Amino acid sequence: MDDDVVQRVFQEGGRDYYQQPSTSSSSSSSILQSLPLHVSFDHGYYLLVKSIQELREKKEGLVTVGIGGPSGSGKTSLAEKVASVIGCNFVSMENYRVGVDDGNDLDSIDFDTLVQNLQDLINGKDTMTPVFDFQEKRRVGSKAIKSFSSGVVIVDGTYALHARLRSVLDIRVAVVGGVHFSLLSKVQYDIGDSCSLDYLIDSIFPLFRKHIEPDLHHAQIRINNSFVSSFREPIYKLKCKSEVRWQMIRLILHRLYIRSYLFMKSPNGDPSASTFHGKEAMMDNFIEMYLRPPSASEEARINDWIKVRQSGIRYYLSLGDQRIVDRHYIIRPKAEFEVGRMTLGGLLALGYNVVVSYKRASTSVSNGNVSVSLETIDSLGETYMVLRGTNRKTVGAEASRMGICGPWITKSYLEMILETKGVPRINTPPLTSNASSISNQEQLIAAPKPLRITPNLVNRLEDLSQPWTRSPTKSKMEPVLATWHFISSDPPLAGGSVIDPSFRDSLHLAPMPDSYDLDRGLLLAVQAIQAVLENKGLPVIVGIGGPSGSGKTSLARKMANIVGCEVISLESYYKSEQVKDFKYDEFSSLDLRLLSKNIDDIRNFRRTKVPIFDLETGTRSGFKELEVSEDCGVVIFEGVYALHPDIRNSLDLWIAVVGGVHSHLISRVQRDKSRVGCFMSQNEVMTTVFPMFQQHIEPHLVHAHLKIRNDFDPVLSPESSLFVLKSNKQVAYQEILRILDPAKICSSVQNFIDIYFRLPGIPANGQLAESDCIRVRICEGRFALLIREPIREGNFIIQPKVDFDISICTVAGLLNLG
C-alpha cells in the first residue's frame, strides 16, 4: 500500500506532471477511488517523507508540499516533524494575514504574495516572506528564504490546499481529526441528539464545510489524526503564592527581567545560585473562560467543562480541566490547541455557558528545562509563582536550588475562584425551565471523558455514508472513562472509626470491564495508584505484564515520572545459567525466591536489595538498595511474566499491555505471507512466532485490573527515531573528548552479529532492498528484531528505535514461515 500511495503522488502531480510508464493497472480516472481513504498520523508522516525523497530523485528543481486541514487537526505538528527530518523550509500561512477578523476567513489570506513567494523559489530566486505579529495584530517585517537552502518547501495552513495554491504544489496532504473531531464528538455527546452533525459543524466551524472541506478531497495523502490530549509527555507544575509586594513585581515587569526576584529568593542571595541568570523574561496577558455544557447543573464536574484561552487575537481550546495532583505537583497533559474566534461564538450559540472568566497576566523566564512565572489573577487579587517543566525531578530540583519550599498550592485557579466567589455568570443565557429535559441531559453528561476517536476505516469512496472529513457518529465513540471501585471479602465492623489492618488487606480493586488505549490507560493507571494509596495506604506495588515489544517499559517509565516512584524490570531477576542457554522467555529463568523476598520486604517497609543483571555478560553484577518511604511509596515491577499467578498475587495493581511492535510484527508476517499467496491467521502466526507468549503469558493477562491496547506505531512514528551520522574515519577516543563535553559522553563497546532474513517469495538471485528483509541482531546471546528500514536524508541515517528483544523461538518461527 505504501508504494501505491507514493506512485499516486507522481500520477496525480501538482504543478509538474511526472510521467510514469503507462500501464493498464496503474491508470485511474479518480485518485479518490484508487487511494486508501486515510492513514494514521504516523503512517502519513512516513509516506510523506518517502514521497518527498522519491520525487526529489526523479524531478529537477524545488519540491513544494501543501498541508491543509481544519484548526487543531495536527497540520503544524506534521509539518514540523517532516521539516526536522528533511531539513527543509517551512512556510506558515498565518504570516500571510492581512486582517485580524476571526482568524479563519478566506479573505484575510494574502494569496498573491504567497503564490509569488513560491514561484520565486520554484524559479530559483531568493524571496522575502512576511512575518505577522499576533499581539500587535499586524505585519512587523519579513524573512528571507534562500532558493538554494533546501530542495523542499512546506506550506502549512487551513487553506493550504485551496485552488489558488494547488497549481504550485507537487504534493498535497490533508489532515483531519485531532481536537477538531474531538470537540465535535464532545459537543455531540454533551447536547445529546438534539442537533445533527451537520448543524454542529456549521455552528462551531462555520467556514470549514464551505471553504476548507472541499479542498481536502484533492489531497494525495489523507491523514486521520486520532491523537488527543495525553499524559505521555505531561507538564509538571509547582505553585505557591508570591511573597513579593506588588510594587516590586511592577518593577520586575518594567525591567523585563525576572532575575532580581529569583536572586532574592535564593537562600544565600548569591546570583550564581540561580540558573536563570541573564535570561530575558517574556510577558503575556490571557483571558481564560470556562464553558459549562448546556443545561448542566452548577455541581457538574469541572473536568467536563471546555476551556477557551484568548491571547491577543488567538484562541486556544482544551477539553476540560484535565490534571493529576500527586503530592505537591500539578500534572497536566499537553492539551491546548488553537481554534478560530468563531468557535467560541458557535459554542455559546449551542447553549454552552461561560461560568467563569478571569484575566491572567504572566511574566516568565526559562532556562530550557524549567520555566518560572509570576502570574497575577485579577479575580483573586493575588500573584503566584509557578515552576513548570517536562521532568518532575528537574522541576523539584530547581525549586530547591532557588530556596523555594512552599507552602505549595495544588488547586487550579478555577477551583480557587469557585471557592472564594462562587460561580459568576458572564453573558450567560438563562437555563431552560423544562425540568424533564434537564434531567435527561444530565444523564448524558457523565464525566470525566477525555475522548478519543476510533476511525471507521473503509477502502472505497462509495462505502462512505458521509465524507471522510466528518467526525464519527456518537455510537462509534469509545465509552466514557470509568472510575475505580474496591471490593472486599471482609466488610469492616459497624461503628468503628479506625479501619482494621486486616480489612485493608482484604480490599482489592475491581477490574475494569473494558480495554483502553494508551492515553486513557496511563491516566487510569495513575488514578488507580492514587485510589489504592487513599484506601489502603503505603506501599503500592504494581505489576505491568505483556508480550515483548508491547510497550510495558515505556508505560512504566511514564507512570514513574508522574507518580515519582521506582521501576524494577523482571529481567533483573534472570538466572545466569538459564540465560546462557537462551531461555529468556521461560518462566523458570526468573529467580522467584529473591523476587518474593524483595516484594515481602517492600510490603513490610524493610530495606531490601534488588539485583542488577548485566545483559551483555549474562551474569548478575550486583545489588542496589531500595526502601519504601513517604516520598517513594510506590514500586512498579514490569516484565512479560509480571502477571503470572506466582507473582501477581503479591501485588496491588495488575496492568496488562498488548499491541505495539508485537502486533506490528504479526501484521508484517501476515502481509508478507499473503504477498506470495499464502494467507495466515493471527492464531497461526502466534503459535509459530510467539509460542511462549500464547502458552505462558497471554492466559494471565485476562485477569488484569486494567487492560491497555497500545495502538502507538513506533515503526512509523517520527517520535521514535534516532538521527545517525556515520563515518569510516579513524578517530582516537581522546580526540572526541577534546571536542565534546566529557561529562555528557557515554561510551560502550559491543559486538553484534546482524542477520538479514529475506522475505518469502523474494527471488534468491535478485537484488535485495532493505524493505525486502527483516533484520535480527545477536548481541551476547540476545536476539533483537528490526522491522523497518531506515530513512536516509542527506548525510543522516534516520533510524527507528524499534529494536526489541525476541527469543530464539521467535527466530526459529520466522525461519519456519519461509
Side-chain angles (χ1 to χ4, degrees):
M1 184 185 76
D2 295 359
D3 295 337
D4 294 339
V5 173
V6 174
Q7 291 301 316
R8 293 300 173 188
V9 171
F10 302 143
Q11 293 177 8
E12 180 72 7
R15 58 186 178 90
D16 293 327
Y17 178 79
Y18 178 77
Q19 184 67 43
Q20 291 286 332
S22 59
T23 61
S24 59
S25 60
S26 63
S27 61
S28 174
S29 59
S30 171
I31 187 175
L32 288 176
Q33 295 176 3
S34 57
L35 271 179
L37 195 63
H38 54 262
V39 295
S40 67
F41 185 88
D42 293 337
H43 199 174
Y45 149 82
Y46 182 70
L47 287 174
L48 178 54
V49 171
K50 298 296 285 186
S51 298
I52 292 173
Q53 289 183 313
E54 294 201 21
L55 191 56
R56 278 195 308 189
E57 293 176 0
K58 297 177 180 179
K59 69 180 293 294
E60 294 182 357
L62 186 74
V63 173
T64 54
V65 181
I67 302 179
S71 300
S73 60
K75 306 179 300 298
T76 304
S77 296
L78 177 65
E80 290 175 347
K81 293 180 190 303
V82 173
S84 69
V85 171
I86 301 295
C88 59
N89 288 313
F90 171 43
V91 176
S92 173
M93 291 187 68
E94 291 188 344
N95 286 314
Y96 289 84
R97 297 189 187 279
V98 293
V100 291
D101 39 68
D102 57 62
N104 270 331
D105 194 348
L106 191 63
D107 296 332
S108 68
I109 303 297
D110 185 356
F111 280 99
D112 293 335
T113 302
L114 177 54
V115 171
Q116 184 60 52
N117 289 154
L118 292 177
Q119 290 285 9
D120 289 343
L121 293 173
I122 291 170
N123 295 326
K125 299 179 182 178
D126 298 343
T127 192
M128 301 293 292
T129 61
V131 176
F132 190 89
D133 189 304
F134 286 88
Q135 291 294 326
E136 298 186 19
K137 306 178 182 179
R138 62 182 180 87
R139 285 187 185 176
V140 294
S142 58
K143 181 178 70 171
I145 296 182
K146 301 289 185 181
S147 60
F148 60 83
S149 61
S150 171
V152 180
V153 62
I154 298 178
V155 180
D156 149 58
T158 304
Y159 300 105
L161 303 188
H162 191 269
R164 294 283 303 277
L165 293 179
R166 287 202 296 270
S167 61
V168 292
L169 296 177
D170 290 303
I171 304 176
R172 302 182 295 274
V173 183
V175 186
V176 297
V179 72
H180 177 80
F181 279 4
S182 301
L183 179 61
L184 287 175
S185 298
K186 175 174 173 53
V187 172
Q188 193 170 27
Y189 189 89
D190 284 345
I191 66 178
D193 299 324
S194 58
C195 294
S196 66
L197 181 63
D198 288 344
Y199 182 79
L200 295 182
I201 294 175
D202 290 338
S203 301
I204 304 177
F205 302 107
L207 299 175
F208 170 66
R209 184 179 5 245
K210 182 178 180 182
H211 295 299
I212 303 171
E213 187 178 36
D215 297 330
L216 302 185
H217 291 275
H218 294 275
Q220 298 135 323
I221 301 175
R222 282 166 286 165
I223 296 172
N224 191 321
N225 181 17
S226 61
F227 179 75
V228 193
S229 63
S230 86
F231 285 88
R232 292 184 191 176
E233 298 178 355
I235 302 295
Y236 297 86
K237 295 171 55 177
L238 286 174
K239 181 167 63 178
C240 64
K241 281 190 178 182
S242 170
E243 298 176 3
V244 185
R245 295 184 179 274
W246 174 244
Q247 290 81 1
M248 178 62 71
I249 295 174
R250 290 187 63 185
L251 179 62
I252 296 171
L253 298 178
H254 178 69
R255 292 177 178 175
L256 289 181
Y257 285 90
I258 202 170
R259 56 185 179 183
S260 301
Y261 176 76
L262 300 181
F263 296 163
M264 187 181 66
K265 293 300 296 182
S266 176
N268 55 10
D270 181 9
S272 63
S274 174
T275 60
F276 298 92
H277 180 73
K279 303 293 183 181
E280 186 172 351
M282 302 293 293
M283 294 194 303
D284 210 342
N285 293 298
F286 308 103
I287 297 176
E288 298 189 341
M289 295 164 278
Y290 285 87
L291 281 66
R292 193 169 53 207
S295 304
S297 66
E298 294 192 7
E299 289 76 24
R301 294 175 180 265
I302 59 176
N303 287 27
D304 201 39
W305 295 2
I306 292 177
K307 176 183 176 182
V308 178
R309 179 168 65 90
Q310 179 186 354
S311 175
I313 64 171
R314 310 186 82 159
Y315 287 78
Y316 302 87
L317 181 141
S318 57
L319 302 180
D321 189 35
Q322 300 177 37
R323 64 195 183 106
I324 296 172
V325 175
D326 189 74
R327 291 193 278 277
H328 306 312
Y329 291 87
I330 301 173
I331 308 165
R332 288 187 178 276
K334 292 181 179 178
E336 216 168 47
F337 305 88
E338 187 171 358
V339 295
R341 179 184 299 182
M342 298 181 72
T343 302
L344 175 60
L347 291 171
L348 293 175
L350 289 172
Y352 283 81
N353 302 322
V354 179
V355 289
V356 172
S357 176
Y358 60 86
K359 294 181 180 179
R360 175 163 63 94
S362 173
T363 302
S364 61
V365 65
S366 173
N367 66 1
N369 297 318
V370 178
S371 69
V372 181
S373 303
L374 290 176
E375 299 184 347
T376 302
I377 309 301
D378 68 337
S379 298
L380 297 173
E382 295 280 359
T383 299
Y384 301 88
M385 171 176 274
V386 183
L387 288 83
R388 291 181 177 86
T390 56
N391 185 282
R392 177 180 179 135
K393 292 182 179 179
T394 303
V395 174
E398 191 61 53
S400 300
R401 187 179 295 112
M402 294 168 58
I404 306 174
C405 56
W408 304 112
I409 300 172
T410 57
K411 294 179 180 179
S412 66
Y413 295 134
L414 173 63
E415 289 177 313
M416 289 189 282
I417 291 174
L418 293 178
E419 286 182 357
T420 57
K421 298 184 178 181
V423 184
R425 295 187 175 276
I426 303 173
N427 299 329
T428 303
L431 294 177
T432 176
S433 59
N434 190 331
S436 60
S437 64
I438 293 178
S439 176
N440 291 336
Q441 286 291 84
E442 287 177 349
Q443 294 178 2
L444 293 171
I445 308 176
K449 49 177 177 300
L451 296 175
R452 186 175 177 87
I453 306 305
T454 303
N456 180 23
L457 297 177
V458 294
N459 295 320
R460 298 177 302 168
L461 187 64
E462 53 267 29
D463 294 335
L464 279 176
S465 58
Q466 58 185 13
W468 72 281
T469 51
R470 304 296 177 83
S471 175
T473 60
K474 181 181 173 183
S475 62
K476 292 183 174 63
M477 291 163 48
E478 291 190 1
V480 175
L481 198 63
T483 55
W484 289 101
H485 300 284
F486 286 85
I487 54 178
S488 173
S489 55
D490 301 321
L493 297 176
S497 59
V498 179
I499 299 179
D500 185 70
S502 61
F503 173 66
R504 289 181 180 273
D505 295 336
S506 67
L507 275 179
H508 302 286
L509 281 171
M512 289 288 180
D514 301 313
S515 62
Y516 299 89
D517 61 71
L518 186 62
D519 293 337
R520 291 192 187 186
L522 177 60
L523 176 60
L524 277 170
V526 174
Q527 290 177 338
I529 291 174
Q530 292 180 317
V532 175
L533 284 172
E534 293 173 1
N535 288 271
K536 299 180 65 174
L538 299 175
V540 177
I541 308 177
V542 182
I544 302 178
S548 298
S550 61
K552 304 180 302 297
T553 305
S554 297
L555 176 68
R557 289 174 179 171
K558 295 180 189 304
M559 289 172 57
N561 193 27
I562 292 176
V563 179
C565 65
E566 289 283 337
V567 176
I568 301 174
S569 173
L570 292 186
E571 292 183 346
S572 302
Y573 293 88
Y574 278 146
K575 296 177 183 177
S576 300
E577 59 272 17
Q578 296 289 100
V579 169
K580 291 177 181 178
D581 295 330
F582 308 119
K583 296 180 179 178
Y584 289 96
D585 276 3
E586 294 188 9
F587 185 63
S588 59
S589 65
L590 298 178
D591 188 345
L592 287 182
R593 180 178 298 178
L594 179 57
L595 176 60
S596 178
K597 180 183 183 305
N598 288 153
I599 294 176
D600 187 63
D601 289 342
I602 293 170
R603 179 73 63 197
N604 292 282
F605 295 92
R606 292 193 296 263
R607 183 175 298 178
T608 192
K609 291 185 177 180
V610 176
I612 300 174
F613 193 87
D614 191 327
L615 294 173
E616 292 186 21
T617 62
T619 59
R620 188 173 293 169
S621 59
F623 294 86
K624 69 174 182 179
E625 286 195 347
L626 177 66
E627 185 176 12
V628 175
S629 63
E630 290 289 337
D631 293 331
C632 183
V634 180
V635 179
I636 299 175
F637 288 90
E638 63 91 9
V640 292
Y641 287 109
L643 300 190
H644 191 280
D646 291 351
I647 299 176
R648 73 168 186 258
N649 291 330
S650 302
L651 310 178
D652 299 298
L653 173 61
W654 312 335
I655 302 175
V657 187
V658 296
V661 187
H662 178 268
S663 294
H664 195 94
L665 178 59
I666 296 173
S667 302
R668 173 70 182 260
V669 172
Q670 286 179 303
R671 185 199 71 181
D672 293 339
K673 294 295 290 184
S674 65
R675 283 182 174 178
V676 295
C678 179
F679 178 76
M680 293 188 70
S681 67
Q682 180 171 326
N683 189 61
E684 289 176 296
V685 178
M686 294 290 289
T687 54
T688 307
V689 180
F690 297 106
M692 302 300 292
F693 168 71
Q694 193 170 47
Q695 295 177 35
H696 302 293
I697 301 173
E698 188 178 34
H700 309 311
L701 301 183
V702 297
H703 300 285
H705 298 120
L706 176 62
K707 304 175 186 68
I708 298 176
R709 56 183 189 278
N710 182 13
D711 54 1
F712 178 65
D713 191 348
V715 177
L716 298 171
S717 173
E719 305 294 348
S720 57
S721 295
L722 293 171
F723 290 79
V724 181
L725 283 173
K726 184 163 58 175
S727 173
N728 59 1
K729 184 178 180 179
Q730 298 288 331
V731 181
Y733 183 64
Q734 294 300 325
E735 294 295 324
I736 298 176
L737 293 182
R738 290 178 184 176
I739 301 173
L740 303 177
D741 184 356
K744 298 180 180 179
I745 293 295
C746 178
S747 62
S748 64
V749 178
Q750 292 179 314
N751 295 311
F752 302 110
I753 299 175
D754 284 347
I755 303 174
Y756 286 84
F757 290 1
R758 185 177 59 247
L759 301 183
I762 303 294
N765 57 354
Q767 186 175 359
L768 282 177
E770 283 185 281
S771 58
D772 298 328
C773 302
I774 291 180
R775 191 195 76 188
V776 174
R777 170 167 290 177
I778 306 175
C779 178
E780 304 294 345
R782 301 196 76 180
F783 297 86
L785 186 72
L786 177 67
I787 52 180
R788 189 197 98 186
E789 73 276 12
I791 297 172
R792 286 176 173 79
E793 178 59 35
N795 296 324
F796 286 93
I797 302 171
I798 305 164
Q799 178 68 55
K801 293 189 295 185
V802 288
D803 275 359
F804 72 106
D805 286 339
I806 57 175
S807 69
I808 195 171
C809 298
T810 302
V811 179
L814 291 172
L815 291 173
N816 291 334
L817 289 175

